Amino acid sequence: MNIKTIVINWHITEACNYRCSFCFAKWNKPAEIWSNPENVRKIIVNIRDHFRSQRVFNIRLNIVGGEPIMFPERLWNVVETAYENGMDISIITNGSHLENIRPFAHLISQVGISIDSLDHETNMKIGRECGGKTICLDALRQKIEDLRKVNPDIKIKLNTVISKHNFNEVLVERFAELHIDKWKILRQRPFNGNSGISDYQFYAFLRNNYNEGLMQENILKRHTELLLS
């Protein structure tokens, strides 16, 4: 195999403190395998050995959910086990409990944070809330700065799903304040009775958030991708 790096996405839990209307990370199996450390070790070792047999030695384990950071002790076990087996580690999170990974942030190469809006009411409509609380720019900035104090080399990526609730928002300038490494813009597609968004709505968000100056200064990188159901 002529592959430099392979990325394994492990949806490690379906539990989440948010209720995003377009989320598809549900499989209705409450007995989640990562509650058993020995099972975690076996899975990671099997992944490592399989790809080494194919002469692929660079493996990135991308830990996703649900919201894996809700369970920091379990997550720490997965991260340490993967790190000890020579894997690069990244995590996808909604950012609400980002402080939970500070004790082992030195083992993580990248954190992807799902942020669709910085407006409280919009986040409430989307379902990115817990107990009526939503994330704000200042809180997110502080959480990211705290991670960088532990690991100055950690990469920060933002993931934004464009829906009928946020397609008119302009986020690029405020996101640039966070000095992120990548911004992935995803389009909500039809799913679970939700019709998704039109071509115009997706295009409107892209045009409203296009800022060549920020990209030229390398403050912000953009990558667009379709979110398929």
Side-chain angles (χ1 to χ4, degrees):
M1 297 176 68
N2 187 23
I3 300 175
K4 292 184 178 180
T5 302
I6 192 160
V7 180
I8 306 295
N9 290 319
W10 187 357
H11 285 262
I12 209 160
T13 180
E14 66 173 314
C16 186
N17 58 329
Y18 282 3
R19 51 177 185 85
C20 303
S21 57
F22 46 74
C23 180
F24 55 86
K26 303 291 182 183
W27 49 87
N28 298 316
K29 292 183 179 180
E32 296 173 329
I33 197 167
W34 77 323
S35 61
N36 185 319
E38 181 58 24
N39 284 339
V40 168
R41 189 193 67 80
K42 288 178 180 178
I43 289 171
I44 290 174
V45 169
N46 285 342
I47 291 171
R48 180 202 65 188
D49 291 348
H50 170 75
F51 286 105
R52 283 185 178 178
S53 71
Q54 305 296 315
R55 302 192 63 77
V56 178
F57 300 99
N58 295 324
I59 302 171
R60 176 157 64 89
L61 185 67
N62 189 40
I63 303 170
V64 293
E67 179 46 59
I69 296 182
M70 287 176 60
F71 310 95
E73 291 192 28
R74 291 185 185 182
L75 180 59
W76 185 13
N77 175 59
V78 176
V79 169
E80 280 199 317
T81 304
Y83 186 84
E84 289 168 358
N85 282 276
M87 294 183 181
D88 197 29
I89 300 131
S90 56
I91 297 173
I92 304 296
T93 173
N94 61 36
S96 60
H97 294 289
L98 202 57
E99 63 279 0
N100 285 353
I101 67 172
R102 284 190 65 190
F104 48 94
H106 59 291
L107 304 178
I108 300 168
S109 64
Q110 179 175 282
V111 175
I113 308 171
S114 299
I115 302 291
D116 296 341
S117 174
L118 293 170
D119 178 76
H120 174 74
E121 293 302 325
T122 301
N123 278 316
M124 292 293 292
K125 292 176 183 177
I126 292 171
R128 289 199 177 279
E129 59 89 16
C130 182
K133 295 181 179 180
T134 63
I135 200 162
C136 67
L137 181 64
D138 288 341
L140 184 60
R141 181 190 292 110
Q142 187 60 58
K143 290 173 185 283
I144 292 173
E145 288 178 358
D146 288 344
L147 287 186
R148 285 175 169 150
K149 289 176 183 177
V150 176
N151 182 358
D153 296 323
I154 199 166
K155 302 295 183 184
I156 302 296
K157 178 182 71 168
L158 297 186
N159 299 321
T160 300
V161 178
I162 312 309
S163 69
K164 65 181 181 180
H165 300 296
N166 66 347
F167 77 92
N168 270 329
E169 286 199 50
V170 179
L171 298 171
V172 60
E173 288 86 3
R174 287 178 290 173
F175 280 0
E177 294 176 25
L178 302 173
H179 303 287
I180 61 176
D181 298 281
K182 180 183 287 188
W183 184 14
K184 182 177 283 188
I185 301 171
L186 305 106
R187 174 178 179 173
Q188 185 195 344
R189 304 295 275 179
F191 175 73
N192 198 28
N194 193 310
S195 61
I197 62 171
S198 67
D199 290 343
Y200 167 76
Q201 289 171 317
F202 188 55
Y203 177 77
F205 183 88
L206 295 180
R207 290 303 304 170
N208 288 340
N209 285 273
Y210 180 81
N211 189 314
E212 187 173 356
L214 291 177
M215 287 185 284
Q216 286 178 345
E217 295 171 21
N218 203 32
I219 297 174
L220 183 68
K221 301 175 184 177
R222 178 184 281 109
H223 174 69
T224 62
E225 180 174 302
L226 296 182
L227 176 60
L228 302 177
S229 62

